[in-house]
């Protein structure tokens, strides 16, 4: 699955990049892709954590190579693109996995609430957590800059290399069920994000700026933004919409977004019940889609779902 024969009859390896891959779902996605024979560039913003993670992957079929990548830093993004250009001259798979929760949490207070996974997922925990999860403006800016602008920065820099894929390029944007449109109280925002024909990056970014303005003025609830992880939720909803914009722009690629499941990782303070092995299945399946597979779609783990 991870190799091809090129026109000269030589065996070519499939090349993938995974962002935010020093731990959690990203790390496991690297491992599962390498198991399928893919050469994977494991990226992490912290060099030490990334090198250690890379060294811990042993015995898989595909090679795992480390390269530093902070998705918030344009120089770091440019340096990764240059590295891939020099080493491989093309890219086949991009998994935009790096993510930030965008909130300040009293972890001990949260644990003491003993919220069960069903309550978390249903949205019923929104009021319960307000005392222990704080949405600050600064954390919201970091969240949007990582989850949406970071993904866009990396994608734009790597598109020219993906266009040279000999296998058919795949982009997987790791989203969240917090992105689902039914969770956004404001009807106008919902319909803007659902209107595929009129979606543009400018429109999406205007929406994000409006969110930040409302947050600054303390009116996010009054303006109908999602109150469970407000910045995270809108960042992932916009990421899904961006996925649809990209899929329309690059019809030869398979570009999809995926909720990996509710997984036991640092980003949710280990409240999720699923293992990272289960969580990586959706991203890996979409990274290895056969030619002619779906594009511009949202998946809940390995199943296609409604936005
Ligand atoms: N776990 C879940 O239940 C769940 C559910 C829905 C969606 N997701 C999504 O799944 C993805 C992976 O999250 P996870 O659950 O595996 O959490 P995680 O273990 O906390 O991993 C998050 C990763 O993102 C990296 N990251 C953060 N900011 C970055 C930046 N500026 N540049 C590069 N890397 C950065 C982190 O690096 P550091 O180690 O340096 O901080 C870490 O490697 C995220 O997009 C998340 O939103 C997770």
């Amino acid at each position: 699955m991870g190799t091809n024969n090129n026109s000269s009859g030589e065996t070519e390896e499939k090349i993938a990049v995974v962002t935010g891959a020093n731990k959690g779902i990203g790390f496991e996605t690297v491992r599962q892709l390498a198991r399928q024979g893919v050469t994977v560039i494991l990226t992490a913003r912290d060099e030490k954590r990334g090198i250690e993670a890379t060294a811990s992957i042993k015995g898989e079929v595909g090679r795992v190579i480390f390269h530093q990548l902070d998705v918030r830093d344009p120089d770091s993004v440019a340096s990764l693109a240059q590295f891939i250009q020099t080493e491989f001259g093309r890219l086949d798979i991009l998994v935009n996995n790096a993510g930030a929760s965008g909130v300040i949490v009293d972890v001990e207070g949260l644990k003491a609430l003993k919220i069960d996974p069903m309550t978390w997922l249903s949205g019923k925990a929104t009021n319960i957590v307000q005392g222990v999860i704080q949405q600050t403006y600064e954390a919201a800016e970091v969240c949007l800059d990582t989850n949406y602008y970071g993904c866009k920065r990396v994608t734009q820099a790597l598109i020219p290399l993906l266009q040279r894929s000999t296998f058919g390029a795949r982009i997987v944007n790791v989203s969240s069920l917090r992105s689902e449109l039914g969770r956004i109280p404001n009807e106008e925002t919902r319909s803007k994000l659902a209107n595929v024909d009129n979606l543009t990056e400018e429109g999406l970014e205007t929406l994000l700026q409006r969110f930040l303005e409302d947050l600054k003025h303390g009116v996010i609830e009054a303006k109908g933004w999602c109150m469970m992880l407000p910045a995270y939720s809108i960042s992932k909803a916009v990421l899904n919409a961006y996925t649809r914009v990209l899929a329309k722009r690059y019809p030869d690629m398979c570009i999809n977004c995926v909720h990996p499941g509710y997984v036991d990782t640092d980003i949710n303070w280990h409240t999720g019940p699923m293992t990272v092995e289960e969580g990586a299945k959706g991203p890996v399946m979409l990274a290895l889609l056969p030619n002619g597979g779906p594009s511009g779609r949202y998946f809940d783990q390995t199943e296609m779902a409604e936005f």
Side-chain angles (χ1 to χ4, degrees):
M1 193 173 264
T3 56
N4 232 358
N5 284 331
N6 66 17
S7 50
S8 328
E10 295 155 343
T11 303
E12 277 186 332
E13 51 190 344
K14 215 178 244 189
I15 316 293
V17 165
V18 183
T19 71
N22 52 294
K23 65 181 181 182
I25 297 164
F27 174 74
E28 181 58 26
T29 300
V30 171
R31 197 212 303 267
Q32 290 186 20
L33 287 173
R35 192 160 295 163
Q36 304 268 359
V38 177
T39 296
V40 193
I41 304 164
L42 181 157
T43 69
R45 60 179 161 178
D46 182 278
E47 199 153 281
K48 185 167 177 288
R49 288 198 288 270
I51 289 172
E52 282 172 4
T54 306
S56 76
I57 300 183
K58 295 192 176 81
E60 304 299 354
V61 188
R63 287 188 293 155
V64 179
I65 303 159
F66 171 70
H67 200 278
Q68 193 274 345
L69 175 67
D70 182 339
V71 303
R72 301 189 60 209
D73 174 0
D75 291 342
S76 167
V77 175
S79 153
L80 174 70
Q82 187 56 56
F83 169 76
I84 301 169
Q85 169 62 42
T86 308
E87 287 294 311
F88 304 104
R90 67 164 215 285
L91 180 66
D92 304 299
I93 298 166
L94 167 61
V95 182
N96 284 307
N97 164 80
S101 68
V103 285
I104 308 290
V105 174
D106 164 6
V107 178
E108 288 313 311
L110 180 66
K111 275 189 194 147
L113 291 173
K114 292 193 167 51
I115 301 169
D116 64 88
M118 280 314 290
T119 307
W120 267 113
L121 295 176
S122 67
K124 287 184 188 144
T126 308
N127 291 333
I128 311 172
V129 300
Q130 295 305 323
V132 292
I133 297 186
Q134 207 193 337
Q135 177 66 83
T136 64
Y137 186 84
E138 291 69 27
E141 278 189 316
V142 171
C143 178
L144 303 187
D145 196 45
T146 307
N147 299 359
Y148 167 68
Y149 293 103
C151 167
K152 178 177 162 180
R153 223 170 260 131
V154 174
T155 305
Q156 280 183 335
L158 300 186
I159 279 280
L161 291 156
L162 286 160
Q163 285 175 313
R164 274 184 248 136
S165 168
T166 43
F167 291 83
R170 307 287 176 259
I171 301 176
V172 183
N173 292 331
V174 182
S175 183
S176 163
L177 95 180
R178 302 277 168 219
S179 71
E180 290 172 6
L181 296 174
R183 292 173 186 265
I184 302 174
N186 185 301
E187 199 188 325
E188 194 189 324
T189 307
R190 272 202 313 274
S191 60
K192 259 197 190 123
L193 289 170
N195 190 344
V196 194
D197 293 335
N198 291 332
L199 286 174
T200 61
E201 279 144 277
E202 296 72 32
L204 294 176
E205 287 158 25
T206 303
L207 194 74
L208 292 179
Q209 287 314 311
R210 239 184 50 215
F211 168 79
L212 285 177
E213 279 301 302
D214 289 345
L215 180 62
K216 192 183 273 172
H217 295 106
V219 293
I220 52 170
E221 188 162 16
K223 294 290 179 80
W225 300 100
C226 186
M227 290 307 287
M228 173 56 96
L229 307 175
Y232 183 80
S233 297
I234 193 62
S235 75
K236 296 291 192 180
V238 166
L239 176 65
N240 288 1
Y242 178 58
T243 304
R244 300 173 103 174
V245 172
L246 285 177
K248 256 172 64 182
R249 189 175 301 155
Y250 302 105
D252 295 340
M253 302 184 185
C254 291
I255 305 175
N256 294 290
C257 48
V258 57
H259 166 58
Y262 191 20
V263 181
D264 179 2
T265 65
D266 287 347
I267 207 166
N268 56 25
W269 317 282
H270 296 274
T271 56
M274 288 171 55
T275 64
V276 288
E277 285 80 4
E278 292 168 314
K281 278 187 188 159
V284 169
M285 181 199 85
L286 295 173
L288 298 176
L289 276 178
N291 287 330
S295 191
R297 305 305 297 258
Y298 168 69
F299 287 75
D300 182 345
Q301 301 167 61
T302 54
E303 299 294 323
M304 201 180 283
E306 292 299 315
F307 280 92

